[in-house]
Amino acid sequence: MLRVVLEILLFFVVPFALYAGWLVLQQRYPLVAEHWSRGVLYWLALAGLACAVVGVLTLGTMQERGRGGYQPAVMKDGQLVPGHFE
């Protein structure tokens, strides 16, 4: 669960990091408050939300999943056989 939250957070933070990098390339100090006005933060938050949604959808559709049906765990000859996909 923590991995999922961290992935979404990483996708959201990407536009903010890119903007800070752009400020550094422009030889501006990125920790000055005037570079982070409400308008800039608004657009960065929207871009971060879009990146998070696209990233989650991409990861959700591209991840390999178990193919076939799930066989639950069973007891065979006194030993537990764990569940698995067939």
Side-chain angles (χ1 to χ4, degrees):
M1 182 66 183
L2 179 63
R3 181 184 63 89
V4 173
V5 172
L6 289 177
E7 285 175 353
I8 295 170
L9 185 63
L10 178 68
F11 284 126
F12 182 77
V13 170
V14 165
F16 293 91
L18 290 175
Y19 180 67
W22 181 76
L23 287 174
V24 169
L25 288 175
Q26 296 295 317
Q27 297 180 347
R28 299 179 184 164
Y29 189 63
L31 299 179
V32 176
E34 59 194 38
H35 295 304
W36 301 89
S37 65
R38 280 188 183 205
V40 169
L41 288 176
Y42 172 78
W43 288 110
L44 289 174
L46 281 178
L49 183 60
C51 285
V53 168
V54 168
V56 167
L57 290 175
T58 302
L59 287 177
T61 57
M62 301 253 179
Q63 284 182 340
E64 186 175 327
R65 299 194 178 152
R67 306 290 181 209
Y70 177 73
Q71 300 298 320
V74 293
M75 291 293 288
K76 248 188 199 177
D77 298 325
Q79 293 201 350
L80 179 65
V81 177
H84 59 279
F85 287 96
E86 285 188 353

